[in-house]
Amino acid sequence: MRRVSIFGATGSIGQNTIDLIARAPGEYQVVALTGASNIAQLARDARRLKAEVAVTAHDHLLEELRAALAGSGIEAAAGTAAVTEAAARPADWVMSAIVGAAGLAPGLTALEQGGTLALANKESLVCAGQLMLSTAKAHGARLLPVDSEHSAVFQALVGEDMGAVERVIITASGGAFRDWPIEDLAKATLAEASSHPNWDMGQRITIDSASMFNKAMELIETREYFAVAPQQIEVLIHPESMIHAMVGFRDGALMAHVGPADMRHAIGYALHWPERRDLPVDRLDLAQIGQLSFRAPCETRWPALRLAREVMETGGLAGAVFNAAKESALDAFIAEEIGFNEMAIVVEEVLTQMSATAGHIDATMTLDNVARVDHVARQTARAVIHSRAG
Ligand code: NAD
Ligand code: MG
C-alpha cells in the first residue's frame, strides 16, 4: 500500500485529494492529515481514511481534536511544530495544500524524507524556490506541480528538451472583475471578490484571482519550477479556463493542455504519475463549447503582474517579501481595513521599503532567513496598512 499524507486536508485542494484517495480503498495507507480550525472535518476524514495521526495547526484546539477522535486509536497533535513533525513521518506521497507561507516548513521536511511532494502550495516556491529545489535534489525527493497551469506545462513537456522551449504561456480566467470598468475596482467588496467565474477554490486564492496576485505568484512559480527566464513567461487572459497553459517551442509549435476546470485532474496526475489513470472529471465537448477566447492582460487593471516581474528581476528573498506582504494585504482586505486596489499599493510599498535596507532581500536563502524576512515584511505591511487606514 502507498503511504500518503495530506497537509491542508480540510481545504479545497485537500478535500479534492481525499475524494480521489477515498475512491480507491485498499490502495492507500493514510499517514497524516492536517488542518487548522475545522476540527469536525479533520476528525471525520481521519476516521474515514483510518489515518495514523491528525494534526491541527492551532494549539488550543488539541482537546477538541482529541475528543473528536476518542476511541478511534488515531493520534491527535496540535501546533505549528506538530504539523511540521508530521511531515517527517515516512510517506511515499505527500500533498502540500496548506494555504500561505505556513506550507513551507512542512513541505521542506517532507522533501527531506526523500519521497514525492505534490505541491499545491505555490507560496513555497514563491518564498523559497531555490531552497525547495535544492532540498529535493539533496534528498532524492521528487517535486510534482499541482497548480493547474504548472501541471499543464509539466505535461506538455513530457519527452521534450527544455533547450527547445521558447516560451511558456500560463492562462488566467481574469477572475471576478475581468470585465468591470477599472474605475469601479476601488469599490469592489469582499463578497464580490470572493466569487470566481469558473473555479471553486478556497476564499484566499479566489480573491487572489480577482486581484491577479494568484497569477503573479504563478509567474514566479513557473520561473522557479521550470527554470525559464522571466521574459519567456507570458500570461494570457482566457475567460473559459479550458486551456490551462501552453508551451511554445523553437519550431513555432504550441502545445496546449486542455481540460475542465477541476483540480482533481492536476491532483490525480501527480498522484498517479508517471502513469495516467481514470479520473472522475468531466470530458469536454468542444463542439458544444464552440469557441474559446483570449486577450492580453492589462497591467493597469492588475498591477500584481508588474510587481511579480519586478520580484523576478530582483531575485533573492524578494519573493518571500512579496508573498508575506501580499498575505498581510489580503488579511486586511478580508478584514475590510483596506480597499481592493490598496492590496497592490501595500505590497509595492513593502517591497520598496525592504529593498532599501540591506540584510533582507539580499540575505542567503535559508529557512530561518525566509522566516525572518517574512516576519519583517508582515510588520512593515501592518505599518503601511495602519498609516493608510489612519
Ligand atoms: P483552503 O483555504 O481551502 O485550505 C487551506 C488549508 O490549509 C486548510 O486545510 C487549512 O486548515 C490549512 N491551513 C490554513 N492556515 C494554516 C496554517 N497557518 N497552518 C497550517 N494549516 C493551515 O485553500 P485551497 O484553496 O485548498 O489552497 C491550498 C493551496 O493550494 C494554496 O497554496 C493555493 O494557492 C493552492 N492552490 C489551490 C487551488 C484550488 O483550486 N483551490 C488551485 C491551485 C493551487
Ligand atoms: Mg493556478
Side-chain angles (χ1 to χ4, degrees), residues 48 69 105 132 154 163 177 184 206 216 218 244 288 360 374-375:
R48 182 159 71 109
L69 292 173
M132 291 289 287
F154 187 75
F177 306 138
D184 289 354
T206 301
E218 291 180 359
H244 304 300
Q288 173 95 34
H360 293 323
D374 176 286
H375 180 73

Side-chain angles (χ1 to χ4, degrees), residues 204-205 207-208 325-335 343:
R204 298 182 74 86
I205 184 173
I207 300 170
D208 283 349
K326 191 280 293 178
E327 288 192 30
S328 300
L330 178 58
D331 289 338
F333 177 69
I334 292 174
M343 286 191 282

